[in-house]
Amino acid sequence: GGGEPPTADIARAALDRGVRLAVPAWVPDCAFDSCAFPEPGAYAPALVEPGCAFSKGPLGIPEPEAKTWVKPEEIDLWIVPGLLFDREKTRLGHGKGFIDRMLARRRPDSTVIALAYRWQIFDGVIPRTAHDVPMDRIIELPQAVSTP
């Protein structure tokens, strides 16, 4: 069992190396000059500053309290969550399309990676619709073992 692989250590290492890091944050209303993106009631990338405070957004996902929005076109590497993946690199999320809408705005030369435990990689085929964005790579992680 377990959920999505944790990414806090990756985020800390990136910040320690001076990497500009963004995470999905809830957009309550227009955040950019043009309201084409992000749409209200959706997720958009928000900058993470070293030591910034986090709180849970409306769907329970931790996000920076002070939001500095980053346009998806500015992101070089995407590490995305998912519930299930197949060998064709199709991702099954929670079904609301928030991640796919962000990825639809990415630069063509950006890279989309998923981290997944072995049990999250399905040997069959997950149906893919036109708006589903395939992963460039899926990195299989060893399942963490918890002890009582």
Side-chain angles (χ1 to χ4, degrees):
E4 296 167 354
T7 56
D9 290 342
I10 295 170
R12 268 191 297 282
L15 289 173
D16 288 347
R17 288 171 175 78
V19 171
R20 190 169 178 228
L21 177 70
V23 296
W26 188 254
V27 182
D29 52 30
C30 290
F32 296 129
D33 295 337
S34 165
C35 291
F37 185 87
E39 61 190 82
Y43 278 88
L47 196 61
V48 175
E49 299 287 353
C52 74
F54 277 75
S55 61
K56 289 189 177 180
L59 298 182
I61 299 168
E63 59 186 51
E65 288 181 5
K67 293 175 183 63
T68 301
W69 301 108
V70 176
K71 293 183 179 181
E73 303 87 48
E74 297 175 22
I75 296 175
D76 297 322
L77 174 65
W78 296 82
I79 299 176
V80 299
L83 298 175
L84 193 65
F85 303 90
D86 68 15
R87 299 289 176 191
E88 300 300 314
K89 300 183 181 104
T90 301
R91 174 187 156 274
L92 179 67
H94 291 274
K96 303 218 186 285
F98 294 127
I99 299 293
D100 288 311
R101 284 197 290 280
M102 276 193 290
L103 292 174
R105 298 277 309 223
R106 76 192 185 288
R107 281 192 340 269
D109 66 336
S110 66
T111 302
V112 182
I113 294 175
L115 304 178
Y117 296 121
R118 173 64 191 107
W119 60 266
Q120 290 179 291
I121 302 173
F122 180 57
D123 286 326
V125 176
I126 297 171
R128 187 186 300 173
T129 63
H131 75 272
D132 292 327
V133 176
M135 306 294 95
D136 293 315
R137 184 166 181 211
I138 298 171
I139 298 174
E140 185 178 324
L141 302 175
Q143 176 68 47
V145 177
S146 59
T147 55

